[in-house]
Amino acid sequence: MVWRAIALALALWPGAGVARDSIIGAHYGGDTTAYPHAVLGDGIEYTTLRIEIQTGPESRRIKTFKLPDGQVFEDLAPRLWDVTGDGDPEVVTVITDFQKGGALAIFDMDGFVTRTPHIGTRFRWLAPIGAADMDGDGHVEIGYIDRPHLAKTLRLWRFKNGRLREVASLKGLTNHRIGEAEIPGGVRNCGQGPELITADAGWQNVMATTFDGKSLKTRPLGPFRTNANLNQQLICP
C-alpha cells in the first residue's frame, strides 16, 4: 500500500512524466536580394526563420517568424545556443536593418525575445562567436565581433532577465573576411573556463579571449594559417 501511494503521488505530481517542448532545429527561408551587401559571398539574405520544436517522443511542429519589411537575416544559419542556462537551446541570429545595420537577436519557440542595438548605419555587420557563462556567475554571455572588417572589436553581452547588456569589449580581434561563407572560431573550455577563439585583427595569430567578470584578456595560441587551423584550436590539447 505504501509503494502504491508513492506511485500515485508521483503520477499526480505536476509535470510528472511530461517532457517539456524543446527546440531541435532552425533554418532560414524567404530568400531575398533586397539588401545588396553580399558580405557573406553572395547577395542572398533571408526574411523568415523556421524553428522546429519537439513536442513529444514522435511529434514535432514548425513555427515560422517573418521579419518586417526593411530587415533581413544577414547570416549563414541560425545557431542553437543555450542562452538561459536551462539546458535547452534558444535560437541566435543576425538581423540587419537596411538603414541601421546589423544586430544580434535571440528567438525562442514563442518568437522574438531580445536583441542588441543595431550598429547604426547601412552595410555594417557583426559576426557571432559563441555563448557561455564566461565568468561563472550563472548567467550566459554571448560574444560577437563588431564589424569584423572595420572596427574589429569583440563585444560581450550578458543575457539576464530576458535582456542583453554589454559587459565588456576589446579591440584588435576578428573572425571573418569579406566574401567568405564561413565564420571560423567559437567557444572552447579546456578545464580553465570558457575561451572565445578568434583571429587577431591582422590575421597573424589565433587568439583565445577570457572574461573575469570585469574585463576581457586575450593571448595568442599560435600562428593563423587557414580557417581550418583556427577551428582546430577549438579542440582541447
Side-chain angles (χ1 to χ4, degrees):
M1 292 297 293
V2 173
W3 288 110
R4 183 177 298 175
I6 293 173
L8 178 61
L10 289 173
L12 294 176
W13 188 268
V18 178
R20 60 184 178 186
D21 293 358
S22 60
I23 294 173
I24 58 172
H27 63 273
Y28 295 129
D31 298 16
T32 180
T33 57
Y35 185 66
H37 193 195
V39 72
L40 290 162
D42 60 30
I44 300 173
E45 311 303 343
Y46 309 97
T47 59
T48 61
L49 173 65
R50 292 168 59 85
I51 298 178
E52 185 177 3
I53 302 165
Q54 185 86 46
T55 57
E58 298 181 1
S59 59
R60 302 177 182 181
R61 61 188 169 98
I62 300 289
K63 296 191 73 171
T64 300
F65 305 99
K66 188 177 187 305
L67 291 177
D69 292 344
Q71 293 186 354
V72 292
F73 293 103
E74 190 177 12
D75 205 359
L76 294 167
R79 297 150 196 83
L80 300 190
W81 290 348
D82 178 12
V83 302
T84 62
D86 66 354
D88 289 332
E90 285 69 45
V91 181
V92 179
T93 69
V94 179
I95 293 178
T96 292
D97 182 274
F98 287 12
Q99 303 305 320
K100 295 182 289 186
L104 184 135
I106 299 171
F107 289 75
D108 63 16
M109 65 186 70
D110 295 318
F112 174 79
V113 176
T114 188
R115 63 165 175 80
T116 64
H118 289 278
I119 290 172
T121 190
R122 183 175 174 85
F123 297 153
R124 296 295 181 265
W125 182 69
L126 61 87
I129 305 169
D133 181 358
M134 296 292 296
D135 59 348
D137 69 346
H139 300 289
V140 173
E141 282 79 37
I142 303 175
Y144 67 70
I145 300 294
D146 175 2
R147 291 159 289 173
H149 324 117
L150 296 171
K152 300 182 180 181
T153 299
L154 191 159
R155 298 193 185 279
L156 196 67
W157 295 76
R158 177 175 293 135
F159 182 81
K160 184 177 180 181
N161 298 326
R163 303 179 68 85
L164 286 163
R165 180 174 68 87
E166 187 174 3
V167 292
S169 65
L170 182 66
K171 294 184 177 181
L173 299 170
T174 191
N175 63 343
H176 184 263
R177 291 177 288 192
I178 292 176
E180 289 191 343
E182 180 184 7
I183 302 172
V187 177
R188 74 175 192 181
N189 190 335
C190 296
Q192 296 181 335
E195 298 175 297
L196 302 172
I197 306 302
T198 67
D200 64 18
W203 292 95
Q204 298 300 305
N205 293 287
V206 179
M207 307 296 292
T209 303
T210 58
F211 179 62
D212 62 7
K214 296 180 180 179
S215 62
L216 293 162
K217 295 179 175 61
T218 195
R219 62 187 176 91
L221 296 177
F224 172 85
R225 294 186 295 273
T226 65
N227 287 350
N229 104 278
L230 191 158
N231 287 332
Q232 186 68 24
Q233 293 290 353
L234 296 172
I235 302 172
C236 297

